[in-house]
């Protein structure tokens, strides 16, 4: 008995916890998406790899210091006749035992290398382009998250509207059947109410499938089970509204795809300059210091170059210390056409980067133009639908009252109820469309920042009862 009581208490606690659990906000959904998405992680790693190109290019311009040390043990012997014309002459033998120690230090500094300098400058543009590509990937993911979240809210809102309408049509059908059985109304009104109930239930099944599909999309973004309920889709969503020219001005400054294309073009232009540097000489200053110590003994036997003496173990030390400063010039006069081919390839890359920049600009302009008009149209439609919804609700209530007193038929009440349902769903559609169009605009303008995501999430969480976002 006690275990049953404990199980009952635990079930009540879990039920209360689920009722009090906060709904999945857009900002929370975005944080889970950012952690789970592998593509953004890939772009982040590519940025880290690209950031190493700049110090590698800089290393070719900085001083190069090298140190070399060695120790050598040498033992050799040479034999030859004292008189090469006399085969019976005395054999002269010379030998040496010594230890040779060396060390050297060298410092080289590039004085002029146009190709290395331009490659270093281009590496900075390449790092900036990689950073812009990472930012672009994040903003595209933000846009996709807003679209998925907006469709999820839309599917749930339409499902709730259909559920509420299904209850009302069911009550109306039961009432019509009761009035028919009592002889108050004809069979036509009761049958019309049954047909309307069957139709709304079919729509409800379709809406339920869309709701499950929208939840499955959310699970792909986060890797977690989608919540069983969604927050209410506001009838008014406060969004920053700008003119098309203002959106374009923001895109010129903030759009990461446009910035990446510009950096790539700058890098390719510097690549052309680096290729042209292959036709120029390079100058290098080399400072070197050498030290050598050779300690050993000499020995010889036989005749000593006509002296007629012999001996061994004569010390023979050597020491050498030298310092030099050299300016080296390297100028490739002919390399089989490789320099010309490198220059042609760099020029082709420059043209391709320029074409990419133009294509990106036109694509952004098209998105801004289409989404701006779409957002404006959705907001205007939402305003009309909100007004129409108030009229449709009033007409539906009046029709229900008229049916009870016999002023209107069941068919009229069904039509008014269906009109109110359609206006509700249309209002949800245009509100979700406005949210998606704004996400497209903010992404194209490059202003879909975490702060803006927080503001949109707050506006959706509070059901639109939020001061207009500046």
């Amino acid at each position: 008995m006690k275990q049953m009581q404990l199980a009952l208490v635990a079930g009540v606690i879990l039920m209360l916890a689920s009722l009090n659990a906060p709904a999945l906000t857009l900002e929370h959904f975005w944080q889970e998406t950012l952690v789970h998405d592998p593509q953004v992680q890939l772009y982040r790693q590519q940025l880290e790899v690209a950031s190493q190109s700049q110090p590698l290019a800089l290393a070719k311009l900085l001083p190069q210091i090298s140190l070399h040390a060695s120790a050598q043990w040498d033992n050799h012997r040479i034999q030859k006749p004292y008189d090469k014309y006399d085969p019976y002459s005395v054999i002269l033998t010379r030998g040496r035992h010594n230890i040779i120690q060396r060390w050297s230090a060298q410092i080289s500094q590039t004085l002029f290398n146009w190709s290395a300098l331009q490659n270093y400058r281009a590496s900075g543009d390449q790092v900036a382009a990689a950073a812009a590509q990472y930012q672009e990937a994040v903003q595209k993911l933000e846009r996709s998250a807003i679209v998925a979240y907006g469709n999820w809210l839309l599917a749930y809102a339409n499902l709730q509207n259909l559920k509420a309408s299904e209850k009302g049509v069911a009550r109306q059908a039961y009432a019509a059947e009761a009035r028919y059985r009592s002889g108050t109304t004809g069979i036509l009104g009761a049958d019309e109410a049954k047909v309307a109930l069957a139709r709304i239930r079919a729509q409800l099944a379709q809406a339920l499938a869309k709701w499950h599909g929208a939840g499955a999309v959310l699970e792909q973004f986060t890797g977690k089970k989608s919540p069983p309920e969604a927050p209410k889709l506001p009838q008014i969503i406060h969004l920053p509204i700008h003119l098309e020219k203002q959106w374009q001005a923001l895109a010129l400054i903030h759009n990461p795809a446009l910035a990446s294309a510009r950096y790539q073009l700058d890098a390719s232009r510097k690549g052309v300059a680096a290729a042209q540097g292959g036709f120029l000489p390079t100058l290098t200053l080399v400072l070197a210091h050498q030290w050598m110590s050779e300690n050993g003994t000499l020995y010889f036997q036989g005749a000593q170059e006509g002296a007629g003496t012999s001996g061994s173990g004569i010390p023979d030390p050597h020491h050498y210390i030298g310092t030099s400063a050299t300016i080296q010039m390297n100028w490739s006069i002919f390399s089989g056409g490789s320099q010309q081919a490198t220059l042609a390839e760099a020029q082709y890359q420059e043209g391709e980067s320029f074409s990419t920049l133009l294509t990106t600009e036109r694509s952004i302009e098209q998105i801004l133009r289409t989404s701006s008009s779409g957002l404006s149209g959705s907001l205007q439609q939402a305003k009309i639908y909100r007004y129409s919804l108030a009229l449709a609700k009033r007409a539906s209530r009046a029709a229900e009252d008229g049916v009870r007193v016999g002023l209107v038929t069941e068919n009229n009440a069904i039509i008014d109820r269906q009109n109110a349902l359609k206006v509700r769903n249309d209002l949800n559609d245009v509100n979700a469309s406005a949210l998606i169009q704004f996400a497209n605009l903010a992404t194209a303008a490059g202003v879909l920042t975490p702060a803006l995501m927080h503001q949109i999430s707050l506006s959706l969480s509070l059901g639109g009862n939020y001061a207009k976002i500046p």
Side-chain angles (χ1 to χ4, degrees):
M1 186 67 179
K2 182 178 294 185
Q3 292 180 351
M4 293 180 59
Q5 292 177 351
L6 292 176
L8 181 61
V9 171
V12 172
I13 293 175
L14 290 175
M15 183 182 67
L16 293 177
S18 62
L19 292 175
N20 295 328
L24 179 64
T25 64
L26 174 61
E27 188 173 16
H28 186 203
F29 170 64
W30 160 243
Q31 295 298 332
E32 293 181 347
T33 299
L34 184 61
V35 174
H36 183 261
D37 187 77
Q39 188 174 10
V40 170
Q41 306 300 329
L42 176 62
Y43 275 101
R44 181 181 298 165
Q45 293 175 358
Q46 290 179 352
L47 175 58
E48 294 176 355
V49 173
S51 62
Q52 303 301 319
S53 62
Q54 195 167 17
L56 290 175
L58 179 61
K60 296 182 179 181
L61 298 173
L62 295 177
Q64 306 293 315
I65 303 175
S66 61
L67 182 65
H68 175 74
S70 66
Q72 178 182 351
W73 288 264
D74 185 22
N75 185 10
H76 65 270
R77 185 177 64 175
I78 300 175
Q79 290 183 338
K80 66 179 182 178
Y82 179 73
D83 186 356
K84 62 182 179 179
Y85 299 105
D86 184 4
Y88 301 103
S89 63
V90 179
I91 299 298
L92 177 63
T93 302
R94 290 182 180 180
R96 184 180 183 89
H97 301 285
N98 61 345
I99 300 175
I100 304 173
Q101 296 176 334
R102 297 187 182 93
W103 69 266
S104 62
Q106 179 175 295
I107 301 176
S108 62
Q109 171 62 57
T110 300
L111 299 180
F112 178 79
N113 189 331
W114 184 252
S115 296
L117 177 61
Q118 296 303 318
N119 287 331
Y120 169 67
R121 295 178 60 192
S123 65
D125 294 329
Q126 292 170 354
V127 173
Q133 290 173 357
Y134 169 70
Q135 183 182 3
E136 179 187 5
V138 172
Q139 292 202 0
K140 283 185 177 180
L141 182 61
E142 287 177 329
R143 186 197 69 83
S144 300
I146 291 177
V147 172
Y149 187 81
N151 289 331
W152 184 59
L153 295 184
L154 173 62
Y156 188 74
N158 289 343
L159 179 64
Q160 296 305 310
N161 288 339
L162 285 167
K163 285 183 177 180
S165 181
E166 189 265 345
K167 292 180 180 179
V169 173
R171 288 195 303 267
Q172 186 175 348
Y174 297 149
E177 181 70 18
R179 284 193 293 270
Y180 165 69
R181 294 185 180 280
S182 64
T184 305
T185 185
I187 186 62
L188 181 61
D191 289 343
E192 289 174 345
K194 291 179 181 179
V195 171
L197 180 60
R199 184 183 299 112
I200 198 70
R201 284 176 176 172
Q203 295 176 0
L204 183 60
Q206 184 179 7
L208 186 61
K210 288 184 177 180
W211 160 247
H212 289 314
V217 173
L218 250 65
E219 293 176 11
Q220 295 177 359
F221 277 84
T222 62
K224 298 180 180 180
K225 186 70 176 177
S226 61
E229 295 181 354
K232 181 179 179 182
L233 181 65
Q235 292 187 355
I236 301 176
I237 303 176
H238 296 296
L239 300 170
I241 307 301
H242 302 294
L243 299 176
E244 182 180 340
K245 292 184 177 179
Q246 294 174 319
W247 286 114
Q248 291 178 354
L250 290 173
L252 291 176
I253 301 173
H254 301 289
N255 184 273
L258 193 58
S260 176
R262 287 172 179 167
Y263 285 126
Q264 292 288 1
L265 178 59
D266 291 340
S268 62
R269 287 173 176 171
K270 294 180 178 67
V272 172
Q276 292 173 344
F279 298 94
L280 301 176
T282 60
L283 297 177
T284 306
L285 174 63
V286 180
L287 302 178
H289 179 76
Q290 297 179 354
W291 177 88
M292 183 184 70
S293 175
E294 182 176 356
N295 294 313
T297 58
L298 292 175
Y299 67 90
F300 54 90
Q301 295 176 352
Q304 184 187 7
E305 299 290 344
T309 60
S310 64
S312 63
I314 301 175
D316 186 24
H318 294 278
H319 297 282
Y320 172 80
I321 299 176
T323 303
S324 63
T326 307
I327 295 180
Q328 298 177 352
M329 183 184 74
N330 184 16
W331 197 345
S332 179
I333 303 301
F334 178 74
S335 59
S338 62
Q339 294 176 347
Q340 290 82 354
T342 301
L343 178 58
E345 182 181 4
Q347 290 173 341
Y348 171 78
Q349 293 292 338
E350 180 184 8
E352 188 176 11
S353 298
F354 184 72
S355 299
T356 301
L357 177 60
L358 292 180
T359 303
T360 304
E361 289 178 349
R362 293 174 183 176
S363 176
I364 292 173
E365 289 177 358
Q366 181 65 27
I367 294 174
L368 291 176
R369 187 178 300 110
T370 303
S371 300
S372 180
S373 60
L375 177 60
S376 177
S378 296
L379 294 177
Q380 292 177 2
Q381 289 179 3
K383 185 177 181 180
I384 296 173
Y385 281 136
R386 284 193 296 269
Y387 177 72
S388 300
L389 180 59
L391 297 179
K393 288 179 179 179
R394 189 183 308 167
S396 179
R397 288 192 297 266
E400 290 181 0
D401 295 338
V403 169
R404 284 192 292 269
V405 297
L407 295 178
V408 296
T409 63
E410 299 286 348
N411 186 43
N412 290 333
I414 292 172
I415 292 174
D416 288 337
R417 184 180 293 277
Q418 290 177 342
N419 287 337
L421 174 62
K422 185 178 185 306
V423 173
R424 284 192 183 95
N425 290 342
D426 288 342
L427 178 58
N428 291 334
D429 290 341
V430 296
N431 280 329
S433 176
L435 179 63
I436 293 173
Q437 295 294 344
F438 176 78
N440 294 335
L441 279 171
T443 304
V447 295
L448 194 56
T449 60
L452 184 57
M453 288 283 288
H454 171 73
Q455 292 176 326
I456 298 174
S457 176
L458 186 60
S459 178
L460 293 174
S461 301
L462 298 180
N465 299 321
Y466 178 60
K468 186 174 182 180
I469 300 175

